[in-house]
Amino acid sequence: MKNKRVLGMIGALLAIILVAVVYPMLNNKNDANKADGTKKVKVGVLQLVSHPSLDEIYKGIQDGLAEEGYDKDKIEIEFLNAEGDQNKVATMSKQLVQNNNDVLIGIATPSAQGLASATKDKPIVMGAITDPVGANLVKDLKKPGGNITGVSDHNPTEQQLKLIKELTPNVKTIGVLYSTSEDNSKSQVEEFTKLAEKAGYKVVPYSVPSTNEIASTVSVMTGKVDAIWVPIDNTIASAFSTVVEANKTAKKPIFPSATAMVEAGGLGSVVVDQHDLGVATGKMAAKILKGQKPADTPVEIFTDGKSVINKKVAEELGITIPESVLKEAGQVIE
């Protein structure tokens, strides 16, 4: 019995020694994995709604992360889409925080705002947010100062007004269609109105609280304006086919702010490339994953755009596109 007790004590002692030696080795191995990037990191992505422009940003995010070394073997992406539902934005934001993602990415302003409300600690990267300061996401573009930084797609308004003049020189009154639920839309409308009025146009704003009012609003505005301008607005973009259909009889030229909307029936626009925005967002998320602090990381701003012209729509409207415009266009849709 005594010998058995001694053997038991020796066994227990050996077990303690084994744990004391092996556990630190395992920890060191885990630390090494983190250092050389072999351990998978977790990134949570919240997209506001499905439409081609935002989908292209998400694709760019994946490409940007991969370019920085975070391919499928090294990263786990939890992707959630709120499908335009603000209640889902709040719920999904909390879900992404609770699931211990290392970095959170919000595609579109409401998504970034939802994530910002859900956590003040986890790093958040904004994907294509037009007015980060106005949306109360960062205090300063150069020195964000909190747990949020990212990429901003400033609307190239002056270039868009130049294109409107070149394509439709007889336009005098421009109707602006936007959603009241998006802070970034309001700031764009203010800037567009100021610059358009300075250029000699009369600007009439038409706001909608949701997609349900788009058709009736467009029907009203087409009788009072010469052309329609749409800012970077996810609510309008997600139902742009409704805008085009409601304008079918009036046939007023529509100047949206995204390539996908020009392809879907807009006459033309000067746009910031959505995939490039996504790539920049992905690369910024990679910097944060590697230890950079959002508070010290300036917001990257895209301001220059390329023109996109829908030649088919121009023909339907009886508009002749100047050769100079076609030559300078980044994309011509036949």
Side-chain angles (χ1 to χ4, degrees):
M1 288 291 291
K2 187 176 180 181
N3 288 339
K4 285 184 180 180
R5 258 199 314 272
V6 171
L7 288 173
M9 290 174 65
I10 293 172
L13 185 60
L14 287 173
I16 292 170
I17 293 171
L18 188 62
V19 169
V21 173
V22 173
Y23 185 72
M25 290 175 63
L26 289 173
N27 270 351
N28 289 337
K29 186 177 179 181
N30 286 336
D31 289 341
N33 284 342
K34 289 179 183 177
D36 65 15
T38 57
K39 184 179 183 295
K40 274 193 175 185
V41 296
K42 293 181 66 179
V43 174
V45 180
L46 178 60
Q47 182 169 312
L48 175 63
V49 68
S50 296
H51 69 72
S53 296
L54 297 190
D55 295 343
E56 194 63 27
I57 290 172
Y58 178 50
K59 184 179 183 301
I61 288 170
Q62 296 173 84
D63 293 341
L65 283 164
E67 286 180 25
E68 292 298 314
Y70 292 101
D71 54 23
K72 291 180 180 179
D73 295 330
K74 295 181 180 179
I75 192 168
E76 179 184 331
I77 297 178
E78 183 179 2
F79 176 78
L80 298 178
N81 191 325
E83 295 298 353
D85 188 327
Q86 290 292 340
N87 291 326
K88 284 185 179 179
V89 167
T91 303
M92 290 178 173
S93 295
K94 292 175 183 176
Q95 181 180 334
L96 290 173
V97 172
Q98 291 168 356
N99 288 351
N100 292 320
N101 287 288
D102 298 300
V103 171
L104 303 171
I105 300 175
I107 303 177
T109 302
S111 297
Q113 289 173 323
L115 292 171
S117 295
T119 179
K120 302 299 178 189
D121 302 315
K122 284 190 177 293
I124 298 170
V125 176
M126 305 176 292
I129 309 303
T130 304
D131 185 9
V133 176
N136 295 316
L137 290 165
V138 298
K139 295 178 181 178
D140 185 270
L141 296 176
K142 292 183 179 179
K143 296 180 180 179
N147 64 319
I148 305 173
T149 187
V151 176
S152 175
D153 55 337
H154 190 83
N155 207 326
T157 307
E158 290 183 341
Q159 290 177 274
Q160 290 175 342
L161 284 166
K162 180 175 179 287
L163 183 66
I164 292 173
K165 186 70 174 177
E166 290 172 328
L167 293 179
T168 53
N170 295 324
V171 164
K172 291 181 171 54
T173 303
I174 303 174
V176 175
L177 180 66
Y178 71 103
S179 166
T180 54
S181 63
E182 298 189 36
D183 292 331
N184 65 308
S185 296
K186 296 170 188 175
S187 60
Q188 289 176 83
V189 172
E190 288 174 5
E191 180 183 28
F192 180 85
T193 301
K194 182 180 178 181
L195 292 173
E197 288 179 346
K198 186 178 178 181
Y201 292 103
K202 179 183 178 183
V203 179
V204 184
Y206 290 86
S207 61
V208 294
S210 70
T211 56
N212 296 328
E213 291 78 17
I214 289 177
S216 58
T217 301
V218 173
S219 296
V220 170
M221 70 188 296
T222 52
K224 300 180 180 180
V225 303
D226 302 319
I228 300 170
W229 180 76
V230 180
I232 299 170
D233 187 299
N234 300 294
T235 300
I236 306 299
S238 66
F240 190 68
S241 58
T242 304
V243 178
V244 174
E245 184 63 29
N247 181 51
K248 214 165 188 178
T249 302
K251 291 187 176 181
K252 297 296 171 74
I254 304 173
F255 295 92
S257 298
T259 300
M261 288 192 279
V262 177
E263 293 172 339
L267 173 58
S269 184
V270 178
V271 303
V272 175
D273 188 275
Q274 302 297 298
H275 183 264
D276 289 350
L277 285 167
V279 170
T281 303
K283 288 187 173 183
M284 189 167 286
K287 289 180 182 178
I288 304 302
L289 286 168
K290 292 173 183 177
Q292 198 160 310
K293 303 293 184 184
D296 305 322
T297 306
V299 174
E300 187 172 350
I301 304 170
F302 283 68
T303 56
D304 292 328
K306 295 180 180 179
S307 60
V308 181
I309 311 295
N310 193 321
K311 204 171 181 181
K312 182 181 177 183
V313 170
E315 290 171 358
E316 291 173 355
L317 296 174
I319 293 172
T320 301
I321 304 171
E323 282 299 319
S324 59
V325 174
L326 289 173
K327 285 180 182 178
E328 293 177 4
Q331 182 181 349
V332 177
I333 301 160
E334 300 288 347

